Amino acid sequence: MNRLKNQSIASKLLFSFLLQAVVVVIVAYIGYVNLSQINDKNATIHAHSTQPALLMEGVNAKLNFLSSEAYRMVYTKNAASAANTKKAIADVDTLLQQYAQTIQTAHLTQAETARFAALQQDWVTFKQAWQPIYAQVSGKDITGAQFTLSSTVALRDQLSTASAQIAQDTMLQGGTLVAESQKLYETALLSYLMVALVGMVIAIAFGIISSRNMIRPLMDVIGVAKQITETDLPALASAMTAMAEGDLSQTFAVTS
């Protein structure tokens, strides 16, 4: 502190500025680290929950679309519906492949892995049972097509229910991740505010100390000037003259 008092005003201002800059850098760094952690958590939520759930919901939607178009194809002999069913089956294949790729990095439980494997196997079985329907429709074997359609209804409903359940479970897992992300955000915000508050207190305290140290010399000068103005200068001059003359007389007496 004594060394600080002896520094020039420019040095004190520079030191104060550097101290505040250090506090700002610390606060900014903590904020950056916390935001990076939150961003990583959000990326994990998207990769392990949101995206897989959307893919499985897409499978469910395509299965429902396949069901409606299949009835139109068989009972109204709609050629466009036949093309739509083929496209829906191809879309389900693509979605299941994408889901399988997505969950490779996800932390699935054994039950979730087994459920998806069962869904894939049921889908293969469904396609095998479904395949004759196109030949039956094109060959005008309406009775055979209706039988094939009715025989696959239960399996298709099973697939739809399973895909919806997997999507729901995935979203529930995502809810846990969201809760963890929210907790991380609250912790980051609290630590950020605490560091910012401590930094402000330090900056204000040092500013007050620096201001006092910089103003003290000026106040000393003002105090001296005030004392001078309150002093009887003529009397002080006479006293000083008399003291000087007395000292001079004593000096001559000693020398003589």
Side-chain angles (χ1 to χ4, degrees):
M1 186 63 67
N2 291 330
R3 293 182 59 185
L4 181 60
K5 292 180 180 179
N6 297 329
Q7 296 293 325
S8 64
I9 293 178
S11 299
K12 294 175 181 178
L13 290 175
L14 179 61
F15 184 78
S16 177
F17 173 77
L18 291 176
L19 179 62
Q20 295 182 31
V22 169
V23 172
V24 170
V25 170
I26 293 175
V27 172
Y29 176 75
I30 292 177
Y32 171 78
V33 171
N34 290 330
L35 288 177
S36 297
Q37 293 177 348
I38 294 173
N39 184 62
D40 292 342
K41 182 66 69 173
N42 289 335
T44 301
I45 293 172
H46 177 75
H48 294 177
S49 176
T50 305
Q51 187 176 3
L54 290 175
L55 290 173
M56 199 53 63
E57 287 178 356
V59 170
N60 189 31
K62 290 297 181 181
L63 289 172
N64 292 332
F65 178 73
L66 174 63
S67 177
S68 61
E69 290 298 309
Y71 278 99
R72 292 182 60 191
M73 177 183 69
V74 172
Y75 289 98
T76 65
K77 305 177 181 62
N78 191 314
S81 295
N84 289 337
T85 57
K86 293 179 180 179
K87 185 177 184 306
I89 291 175
D91 289 341
V92 171
D93 284 333
T94 301
L95 291 170
L96 289 177
Q97 291 175 1
Q98 292 177 350
Y99 184 87
Q101 294 174 355
T102 301
I103 64 175
Q104 288 180 355
T105 57
H107 304 290
L108 297 181
T109 63
Q110 292 183 352
E112 291 171 339
T113 304
R115 188 182 297 123
F116 178 64
L119 175 66
Q120 288 179 305
Q121 184 60 45
D122 289 343
W123 176 243
V124 172
T125 304
F126 173 82
K127 288 193 297 182
Q128 292 173 348
W130 177 265
Q131 195 60 36
I133 199 169
Y134 295 111
Q136 293 167 344
V137 171
S138 61
K140 297 183 180 180
D141 182 8
I142 304 304
T143 302
Q146 291 176 350
F147 176 79
T148 301
L149 179 62
S150 61
S151 64
T152 58
V153 167
L155 187 56
R156 189 185 63 249
D157 290 343
Q158 181 178 338
L159 286 167
S160 180
T161 302
S163 61
Q165 185 64 44
I166 291 175
Q168 182 179 359
D169 292 343
T170 306
M171 289 304 297
L172 290 176
Q173 182 182 6
T176 303
L177 295 174
V178 169
E180 294 177 359
S181 179
Q182 180 66 26
K183 185 177 180 180
L184 179 61
Y185 169 77
E186 293 174 355
T187 303
L189 181 61
L190 180 61
S191 62
Y192 183 82
L193 292 176
M194 289 180 63
V195 172
L197 181 61
V198 171
M200 290 178 59
V201 171
I202 293 175
I204 293 173
F206 184 80
I208 294 174
I209 295 173
S210 299
S211 299
R212 288 181 178 178
N213 291 332
M214 287 185 290
I215 294 175
R216 184 171 297 169
L218 181 60
M219 297 302 296
D220 292 340
V221 172
I222 294 175
V224 171
K226 186 177 180 181
Q227 290 177 1
I228 292 174
T229 56
E230 294 176 351
T231 303
D232 188 354
L233 294 180
L236 179 60
S238 299
M240 292 178 65
T241 301
M243 291 173 62
E245 290 178 351
D247 292 338
L248 184 60
S249 299
Q250 292 178 5
T251 302
F252 279 113
V254 172
T255 56
S256 61

